[in-house]
Amino acid sequence: MADKKIIAVLGATGAQGGGLVHAILSDPDGPFAARAITRNVDSDKAKALAAAGAEVVAADVDDVDSVKKAFAGAHGAFCVTFFWEHFSPEKELAHATAMAEAAKAAGLRHVIWSTLEDTRRWVPLDDDRMPTLMGEYKVPHFDAKGQADHVFTDLGVPTTFLLTSFYWDNMIHFGMGPKTGPDGKLAITLPMGGGKLPGIAAEDIGKSAYGIFKAGDSLVGQWIGIAGEHLTGAEMAAGLTRALGQEVHYNEVSPEDYRGFGFPGAEDLGNMFQFKRDFQEVFCGPRDPAGTRKLNAELQTFDEWLARNKSRIPLE
Ligand SMILES: NC(=O)c1ccc[n+]([C@@H]2O[C@H](COP(=O)([O-])OP(=O)(O)OC[C@H]3O[C@@H](n4cnc5c(N)ncnc54)[C@H](OP(=O)(O)O)[C@@H]3O)[C@@H](O)[C@H]2O)c1
C-alpha cells in the first residue's frame, strides 16, 4: 500500500469519480491507491468507499485551500465539475481553475480533466442556428468546460483532457427514459434526427479514466474521447424494445421543441443535442468505441448496459 501512487478523485461519491474509485479498488495489485474526495466524510456513500478500502478526505471545490490539502502528496487527480448542482458555467470555470491551481501546488504528475467541447468554436455566438444562452454560451454546460482546458495547460499541469459521452444512466436518473405518450405507446424523446448519439455506461467513464492513469505520460497533453457505442434514436429505441420486451418508439422532436419543454436545463440540452446532431463528425469522431475498449476492456455496449440496468429504468 505504502508504495502505491495516490490518485485523488473529485466527485468520488458520484458517477464519474465513483467509477474511477471502484476501478482502482478492483485492482488491488495495480499501481494506484484511491483517495476519495467528498464534502461529507460521514455520508453513507463516503463510509461505503472507506469500507471498500479508499482513503476518504474532505474538500469542497468552492474552497481552493481544501482542494490543495486533498491533492497534497498525490501522484494524480481526477477533476470533474458539477454543472447540474448549480447551473452556472462561471462556477464551473472557477472550480476548474481551483482544481488546476491545486494540482499545480501539489506538483501532481498526471491530472485527468473531465471536459467537453466549447461548442462556440463551431457555433459562434452570432450564429443564429441556436439561441445564445446565459449571455455568452451556446451549450453552457459544455462551453465552460472546454473554455477551462487552457487553465490546466497555462499552469503547466500535466493533463489528459477526457471528452465524455452521454450517460445511458440518464434514463435512470435524469428523466430521459421511455415515457408513455398521448398515443399510449412508450417512447424516448430526443431531438437528434437520424444522427448518432455517442453514449456510455457512466461507470465506464471511471474505468476508462483508470486506463488513462495506467497508460501514464504517453497520454498527457492529449484529448481522449470515450464512448461505448454511437447509436441513433431509432437504434436506442430498438435496444430498449429488445431489453424490456415491450415496444419502445423513437419520438423525434425538433431542437426548438426540446428547448421549450420547460424543465431546468431544457434549453441547454436542446442546444447540446442540436450540436451533436449537426456536427456529427466533430462530436462522434474523437469518441471511438474501439479506442475506448483499449483503455477499458470491460466497456459495455448499450445492450449489455440494458441487460444489467433495465429493471432500474422507470417507465412513466
Ligand atoms: N449526465 C451526462 O450524460 C453527462 C455526460 C457528460 C458529462 N457530464 C458532466 O458530468 C458532471 C457531473 O459528474 P457526475 O455525473 O459524476 O456527478 P454526480 O454523479 O452528480 O456526482 C457529483 C459528486 O460531486 C460531489 N460534489 C458536488 N459538489 C461539490 C463541491 N462543491 N465540492 C466537492 N464535491 C462536490 C458530490 O459529492 P459529495 O456530496 O460526497 O461531496 C457528488 O457525489 C457534470 O458537470 C456534467 O455536465 C454529464
Side-chain angles (χ1 to χ4, degrees), residues 152-182:
F152 292 86
T153 34
D154 289 356
L155 287 173
V157 175
T159 304
T160 302
F161 301 86
L162 182 65
L163 295 164
T164 58
S165 286
F166 176 87
Y167 312 170
W168 292 320
D169 308 65
N170 290 335
M171 288 193 283
I172 302 171
H173 305 295
F174 218 72
M176 290 191 181
K179 293 192 175 51
T180 307

Side-chain angles (χ1 to χ4, degrees), residues 13-16 38-39 60-61 81-83 145 164-165 167 170:
T13 58
Q16 297 194 27
T38 172
R39 289 165 300 177
D60 187 319
V61 294
T81 43
F82 314 109
F83 182 84
K145 290 185 180 72
T164 58
S165 286
Y167 312 170
N170 290 335

